[in-house]
Amino acid sequence: MLIVQKYGGTSVGSIDRIKAVAERVVRSRREGNNVVVVVSAMSGETDKLIGLANQISPNPDEREMDLLLSSGERISSALTAIAINELGFKSISLTGRQVGIITDKAHTKAKIERITAERVKEAIDDGIIPVIAGFQGVTETSEITTLGRGGSDLTAVAVAAALNANLCEIYTDVDGVYTTDPGIVPDARKLDKISYEEMLELASLGAKVLQTRSVEFAKKYDVPVLVRSSFNDNPGTLVMKEDKEMEQVAVSGVAYDKNQAKITVIAVHDRPGVAAKLFNAIADANIVVDIIVQNVSSDGKATDISFTVPKTDNKKAFKITEGIAAELGAKGVYLREDIAKVSIVGVGMRTHSGVAAKMFETLARHGINIIMISTSEIKVSCIINAKFTELAVRVLHDSFELGEGKKEKVKPKRKITLKKN
Ligand code: ADP
Ligand code: ASP
Ligand code: MG
């Protein structure tokens, strides 16, 4: 088998951990597999580099940031190759450029356009284990780019697709994909398998176990992805095409995202072209708008528009909105930063009714006010006050009986006595 193994930041977080990764790679090789390794930067490294740049400038040039950040993965890939060599197996580290990962020019969030992977193929043919520096690529004009936070997942999936690998293993610090973040709900249950669609929703709604774009890529090119721990040999979670079994449960996971901010424009003209003007201006600044709520005006003249943007872009979005507020006829623009999004996800929602109502009822029972709602075929999201995020995730997880041992739904409902924090 040809297997791409990606190791995340924690998995290569120290020299001992890198040695353990080398052992695991070699073990798979001894079992008869051809292994291609992709590594993240050592844990904390990317944040550290961002911190250094921010000590000089609050708004560093994005081209320079990409060159800076790509260095984290260079270090870990070279160290991993050294560790594999030390075990008596030939290994070489390769940068994104050496692998031929060609991207567009969107610095800090570049999209992969194509991968040549010549050096990788040559290495495999020569019995050499390639260790690829994740998270990075190069433009047609030789500029170094990075693929967005968590982007080593994308490198792994894209390389697996380019090589037509049998499997892409994502090694991380948890045993697989859980019904929610096991870091905040200890009762979360590991899923044996999850559909690309559900994983895509969970990832884009905040579950950082896989980068959203890596899941899109896996779905598009049909790459089977196995998420598992680098700390043990537990079986992990297979991300794959939907099957009948998956539709039997209405909700398979709960996600949360604290990187949210809400902008409200008060009393804009209720006439054609207002929303287009506003959201074109925001889109031109490369800001992704998430939930939008607009009411019909009661007097036929003025209406409020609220929308959410990533917290990291809120200042920029607020400034743009303020800048065109007069043109929109607005009486004012407000920014709210203390919000979060909690979401429930499941392909079974297509065939189960009352799921959204149950979510709203659960939140209400715990005194959590819903600020905005957004739904799609397989998810329901609510914007709430950020201070209730953990509570909301726990009570929703409990209410939809997602926890360990709750699968059979035979137990009487456990009473929830959670402290509001
Ligand atoms: P890596 O450094 O290996 O890429 P990440 O920190 O990016 O790892 O992703 C793993 C983390 O994702 C876990 O430690 C966990 O806290 C978090 N996480 C959030 N939601 C989930 C989920 N539904 N299942 C598993 N992990 C999740
Ligand atoms: N090192 C990068 C980050 O921290 C990419 C990755 O870890 O996947 O976002
Ligand atoms: Mg990650």
Side-chain angles (χ1 to χ4, degrees), residues 9 16 20 30 52 100 104 106 123 145 170-171 182 248 250 327 342 359 364 379 404 421:
D16 281 345
R30 283 207 176 101
L52 290 177
D104 63 13
T145 50
I170 303 286
Y171 284 93
Q248 282 165 17
E327 265 181 79
V342 286
M359 178 182 196
K379 66 118 191 196
E404 205 53 81
N421 49 355

Side-chain angles (χ1 to χ4, degrees), residues 6 8-9 40 149-153 170 172 208-211:
K6 178 258 173 178
S40 286
R149 294 309 301 267
S152 299
D153 294 336
I170 303 286
T172 183
K208 67 167 184 168
V209 61
L210 282 178
Q211 190 216 28

Side-chain angles (χ1 to χ4, degrees), residues 201-216:
E201 289 286 4
L202 280 179
S204 67
L205 295 168
K208 67 167 184 168
V209 61
L210 282 178
Q211 190 216 28
T212 308
R213 274 159 61 190
S214 75
V215 188
E216 274 168 5

